[in-house]
Amino acid sequence: LPYPEGEVMRYDAQRRERTRQLIVETAAKRFRAEGIAPVGIANLMSTAGLTHGGFYAHFPSKDDLVIETCRAAFVETLAYLSRAINAAPPGTKLRALVDTYLSVLHRNNPDKGCFAAALITEAARSSGPVREALTECIGALVALAKDAIRADGSDQDPKTVISTMIGALAISRVVEDSRLSKEYLAAGRRIAEPHQPPR
Amino acid sequence: LPYPEGEVMRYDAQRRERTRQLIVETAAKRFRAEGIAPVGIANLMSTAGLTHGGFYAHFPSKDDLVIETCRAAFVETLAYLSRAINAAPPGTKLRALVDTYLSVLHRNNPDKGCFAAALITEAARSSGPVREALTECIGALVALAKDAIRADGSDQDPKTVISTMIGALAISRVVEDSRLSKEYLAAGRRIAEPHQPPR
DNA sequence: TGTACATCAGTGAACGCGCGTTCACTGATGTAC
DNA sequence: TGTACATCAGTGAACGCGCGTTCACTGATGTAC
């Protein structure tokens, strides 16, 4: 036996993993832009420069790809939002999070943005594992908001903040009228405002 | 000419309209429960006790049905929420709206609930007319919140409130864990709280 | 360095299926007289 | 009241198409000697 037991010869060991990542990245973009169901495996693989049969050498099913896609998309979204929060001085961190999330840039680029804001109602009807993954990712977003709020010495509820952010962004993408769409973004951003005394 | 010009003989004039309404009501339930794309015309018509060919005697396309479904669903949702608001004494009207919307009952019954909370990300990718209809309906929801806030003599932003409501309900439907799901509902309900003085 | 070989990532035909839409038709309903 | 007829809501076969998944295969890559 030329190879130690339990090990398999792997040539070009990186290649398989690179292809896999290419599929995930392609799917992450297209799912967020077009939805999950409308992006077929064959069509997706051809966008990645591959043929559809090879898909199942990397993923047991489309559902598993959706799960990986969700996690991969959120890693980037969380990193991006973290950077915005870290760059902001204490007292303005929640504001920075909310302003970054509810921006025209984010609204206009769902393919590079938050997976939840792009796909939440479709994902809510997916299999248990997909919903679990998305639940975890939304939880990470809540944790991010919680840290920002704590650093600000403020007292908003992070789950309220995230609910407002996702809702406002989703609505702003439905609304075609540019002015009205921006009003929903602006309304969502108000969730970051410090509490005001009642009149 | 036995009939006055411009008029066409119609026998059983109600029947056509009743069938049409049956299709809309069936679609309104199933779209909200299962999504739009997964509910095919043939499958939908058979749920209504009809055959698929007849669909196009009532609607030019599936898209037109979606528009009607959106409006019909919202009429009921708005009426239901209006009743809750009207039954609440001034000062508690926004609270009544938010509590009714972000209830476990609503979360558990998407097929009878808010069209936006059930389908917003799928609808955001639909044709212009669908998005226009949904924009209008969300606007009506905002108007409802605005009236409730005014009657309360309060000062929340109605668009912020609606964004939070839709976001929180959508998230609560993704989350499988019952306790965590309720936490998102409860967090969303906090949007109705009167502003607190800063510490 | 050159040859024989093993590996396995990727290929593409095929599967059964449901999609939205069209269209020639059927047959129950109501009217005319 | 009875018969002939017009209406038209609803029927169901058919269209071309894309879906997720399977599987026997090809051929480029790296190893062994």
Side-chain angles (χ1 to χ4, degrees), chain B residues 23 61 63 106 110 131 170 199:
Chain B
I23 297 170
S61 71
D63 238 43
H106 193 183
R131 293 169 63 194
R199 307 180 199 171

Side-chain angles (χ1 to χ4, degrees), chain A residues 89-160:
Chain A
T92 68
K93 285 180 183 294
L94 180 60
R95 172 101 268 156
L97 167 63
V98 170
D99 285 358
T100 305
Y101 192 96
L102 293 176
S103 65
V104 171
L105 186 72
H106 193 182
R107 184 198 65 190
N108 291 351
N109 295 278
D111 64 315
K112 295 167 197 131
C114 177
F115 187 93
L119 296 165
I120 190 161
T121 66
E122 188 173 359
R125 287 180 198 96
S126 298
S127 67
V130 170
R131 292 168 63 193
E132 276 170 39
L134 183 52
T135 298
E136 258 182 52
C137 291
I138 292 173
L141 207 51
V142 169
L144 206 71
K146 191 175 178 182
D147 290 348
I149 291 162
R150 180 182 292 131
D152 283 347
S154 191
D155 68 343
Q156 288 94 344
D157 183 328
K159 288 197 182 74
T160 312

